[in-house]
Amino acid sequence: MSLTIPALAGKLAGLQSSAIRDLLKLTAREDIISLAGGLPDAALMPRERIARAAETALCDPAVLQYTESSGWPALREVIAARESAAIGRSVPVGEVFITHGSQQALSLLAEVLLDPGALVIVEDPAYVGALQVFRAAGARIVAVPLDSDGMRLDILEDLLAAGERPALVHTVSNFHNPGGVTLAPERRRRLAELAEAHGFWVIEDDPYGELWFDRPAPAPVASYSPQVIRLSSVSKILSPALRVGWMIAPERVSRAVELLKQGADLCGSSLTQQITTDLLTDTTWLAAHVDAIRTTYGTRARALTTALRTTFADRLHCTDPTGGMFIWAEFTDTTDTTALLPAALDAGVAYVPGGAFAVTNTADNSLRLCFTTSDEATLTAAVDRLSSAIG
C-alpha cells in the first residue's frame, strides 16, 4: 500500500533558516575568531548574583508553579516603573506584558496586528529576526534604507504619499542591528506623527538601548505616541538564558497577545521572572553592573574600528558605534563579502555578510561585525586575518 505523506503548511514555503544561526555552526572551531554572532559576553554575565537570586526565589514553593500569562506580577510592576522613567509618562501595569524574550513578543504581535498580505515597513539592512516573523505572517515587506541618522523618513513619506498604507513600521531605534546607527531624535518624533496621521503601528524594538557608551540614547519613539509598541529584554544586560522580555502596548493589544500566548506556551517561567525581578530591583548593584558592560564594550568597539581603519584605510568605511554590539562596514571596491567568507574562515575569522540582512539592496560589499565577545588584542588579530584573506 502506498503512503500519502501529509503536507506542511503553505506559509513555510517562503521561509528559510537564519543565515547567522547557520554560520554559528561553522564558527565553533577554537581556531576561528568569530565576529559573526550577536552574542553578549558570557564572562560579563552576573553568574554569582543570578545564583543568589535563584536561591532566594526557591525559598518560596510558589516560584515553581505556573504564573499568569501576562507575567509574574511583581516583575510587571518593576518593568512599568522602568518604562515610565524611560518614556516620560506613567505606564500602567496593564500595558506591560512579559514574554519569552522580546522575539516572542514580536512573533505574537505579528499574529495580532497583521493579516496575510498586510504591508510592513522595515529598515534596510534589517534585523533578520523581524524578517523571519513578518514573512511567516504572510506580510508584504517594503524596506526603507538607513543612513547615519537611522531610518530615512523622507522615503517613508514618499511611500505614504504614493498611497502605501502600512499596518506597521518596525524599527530598531537604538544602536541598530545590523546597521550600528541610532534613530535621530527629530526622526523619532516625526515617525510617531506619521503613525498617528496615517493610522499605523510602530514597533520600537529596543534590546540595546541601555548599552550606550558615552551618553544615553535619545528618548524612545514611544515617548511621542501611544501607537508605538516598545519591546525590550534583559538578554543583553543580564543573560539571554533568563528568557525574559517585555512589551509595552495599549491594553487591548496586550489582551489580544495574551490570548495567543495562552495557546502557545500558557505562561513564561515564574522562576526566571522572579530572579529577574530580584536583579532589576537591586538598583545600586544593577547600575554598576551595566556600567561595567558599557565600559568594556565601548573599549572593544573603539579597538575594532581603529583596527579596521588602520588596516584598510579608504578601502573600507565603517560606522562609529555609540552603543550596542555591532559595526556595519562596507568595502568601497568590488570586494564581495559573501564570496570572501570561505577564505576568511580558512584564515581563521568569521563575520556575517551584509546580504544576510538585505531586503532590497543586495549589500554585496557589506558585512556585520560583533565586537562584544573578544578583547582588544583578539579584535586586532581578527582584522589582520580578514586582511590576509583578501590578499
Side-chain angles (χ1 to χ4, degrees):
M1 184 177 70
S2 62
L3 296 177
T4 301
I5 305 299
L8 299 178
K11 66 181 180 180
L12 293 172
L15 300 183
Q16 55 187 345
S17 177
S18 164
I20 300 169
R21 296 296 170 185
D22 293 343
L23 181 58
L24 290 178
K25 299 174 186 176
L26 301 176
T27 59
R29 298 194 338 243
E30 292 184 359
D31 60 322
I32 290 182
I33 301 173
S34 180
L35 308 182
L39 306 177
D41 188 348
L44 298 176
M45 296 176 194
R47 295 187 300 279
E48 293 182 0
R49 184 63 184 84
I50 290 172
R52 294 201 304 271
E55 184 177 7
T56 300
L58 288 168
C59 292
D60 180 3
V63 78
L64 298 179
Q65 189 55 274
Y66 292 107
T67 188
E68 298 175 16
S69 298
S70 55
W72 186 265
L75 178 58
R76 295 176 68 206
E77 292 178 3
V78 170
I79 298 302
R82 286 170 59 86
E83 289 291 329
S84 295
I87 295 174
R89 67 171 176 85
S90 178
V91 175
V93 173
E95 293 185 5
V96 178
F97 196 92
I98 307 300
T99 55
H100 195 72
S102 60
Q103 184 69 21
Q104 186 188 50
L106 189 59
S107 179
L108 293 172
L109 281 170
E111 294 188 64
V112 166
L113 303 179
L114 300 176
D115 291 316
L119 173 61
V120 173
I121 303 292
V122 299
E123 294 153 328
D124 197 1
Y127 168 52
V128 293
L131 292 178
Q132 287 179 305
V133 163
F134 298 143
R135 286 167 178 159
R140 179 169 67 93
I141 299 172
V142 172
V144 171
L146 297 170
D147 64 16
S148 60
D149 286 328
M151 180 184 284
R152 289 275 306 276
L153 291 193
D154 58 323
I155 295 179
L156 174 59
E157 292 192 59
D158 288 344
L159 290 170
L160 295 170
E164 293 283 22
R165 290 296 174 262
L168 66 86
V169 172
H170 178 267
T171 180
V172 181
S173 55
N174 294 319
F175 320 126
H176 190 273
N177 177 13
V181 297
T182 293
L183 189 64
E186 61 274 15
R187 293 192 186 181
R188 295 173 185 236
R189 182 186 297 274
R190 183 57 180 155
L191 179 57
E193 291 172 349
L194 292 171
E196 293 188 348
H198 296 276
F200 57 81
W201 295 101
V202 175
I203 296 181
E204 181 181 20
D205 211 342
D206 186 23
Y208 312 105
E210 294 192 64
L211 299 182
W212 48 268
F213 298 155
D214 298 317
R215 60 179 179 273
V221 184
S223 301
Y224 302 108
S225 173
Q227 286 177 213
V228 181
I229 299 170
R230 256 179 71 77
L231 310 183
S232 193
S233 80
V234 299
S235 292
K236 308 305 186 293
I237 62 169
L238 296 177
S239 167
L242 292 171
R243 304 313 301 138
V244 172
W246 58 86
M247 171 186 76
I248 307 299
E251 289 195 37
R252 66 187 181 96
V253 175
S254 294
R255 297 291 72 78
V257 166
E258 183 172 7
L259 292 175
L260 290 175
K261 184 170 173 61
Q262 288 172 352
D265 63 3
L266 298 180
C267 64
S269 165
S270 55
L271 176 58
T272 60
Q273 290 182 25
Q274 187 160 323
I275 291 169
T276 301
T277 304
D278 186 330
L279 272 60
L280 293 182
T281 53
D282 189 353
T283 53
T284 300
W285 168 83
L286 182 65
H289 168 69
V290 175
D291 189 59
I293 296 174
R294 292 175 186 140
T295 299
T296 300
Y297 286 179
T299 299
R300 292 174 181 177
R302 287 185 286 274
L304 182 54
T305 54
T306 298
L308 289 168
R309 288 169 177 157
T310 300
T311 301
F312 294 107
D314 291 340
R315 189 179 181 183
L316 180 141
H317 291 165
C318 66
T319 54
D320 281 305
T322 57
M325 298 169 53
F326 305 106
I327 289 172
W328 182 258
E330 298 179 348
F331 283 99
T332 57
D333 55 20
T334 58
T335 300
D336 184 316
T337 56
T338 299
L340 175 65
L341 184 58
L345 292 171
D346 287 342
V349 62
Y351 58 83
V352 184
F357 310 95
V359 184
T360 302
N361 178 14
T362 58
D364 291 337
N365 63 336
S366 303
L367 63 162
R368 189 196 74 176
L369 304 170
C370 180
F371 50 76
T372 55
T373 55
S374 298
D375 61 24
E376 298 94 292
T378 304
L379 291 167
T380 300
V383 174
D384 289 340
R385 294 182 183 189
L386 180 60
S387 178
S388 69
I390 296 173

